[in-house]
Amino acid sequence: KLDNDLTKLDNKLDETKKELTAKLDQLTADFALLISKLDKDSKKVNKKVNKNVNKKMTEMKSTLDKDKEEMKAHIALVSTDMNDIKANVTQLSHRLEKIESASRLNRQDDDLDRQAEGQV
């Protein structure tokens, strides 16, 4: 009877080993499938992230280029304004010289008139 019980236990143990081995094989296959799916998902996410990053970088470069062009235009306007200011300053300087010259001539005329009056 003991041999019979041992044989039954041995058979039961073999059956349990087979079941556990089958379950382990199934878990291994499931795990491999999960890793493969995660790898694919990771690649998709990376591709999407890279696409978004590239899109953002392109937008930023476009904005930077636009800002750069606006600054060039602004600098050109400022340069034009500066040239206009220089021209106005030059004109005013010439006018001031004419006014000073006319003022000197008027003083000289006045001095001559006073001298002439004094001699008369």
Side-chain angles (χ1 to χ4, degrees), residues 26-71:
Q26 184 59 47
L27 285 173
T28 302
D30 290 348
F31 189 69
L33 191 64
L34 183 61
I35 287 176
S36 173
K37 187 176 180 337
L38 285 173
D39 190 43
K40 285 179 186 174
D41 289 350
S42 173
K43 286 178 182 172
K44 283 182 188 176
V45 167
N46 284 340
K47 189 174 182 181
K48 197 169 196 175
V49 166
N50 286 340
K51 185 178 178 183
N52 288 340
V53 166
N54 288 339
K55 182 180 177 186
K56 198 64 171 172
M57 290 295 282
T58 301
E59 288 173 5
M60 288 171 69
K61 185 182 181 311
S62 175
T63 301
L64 188 62
D65 288 345
K66 183 179 164 193
D67 290 350
K68 185 177 170 184
E69 290 304 314
E70 287 177 4
M71 284 305 291

Side-chain angles (χ1 to χ4, degrees), residues 1-16:
K1 173 150 171 74
L2 190 59
D3 272 349
N4 192 19
D5 286 347
L6 280 175
T7 304
K8 283 182 183 179
L9 280 175
D10 217 17
N11 288 340
K12 183 85 170 160
L13 183 61
D14 282 346
E15 190 178 309
T16 304

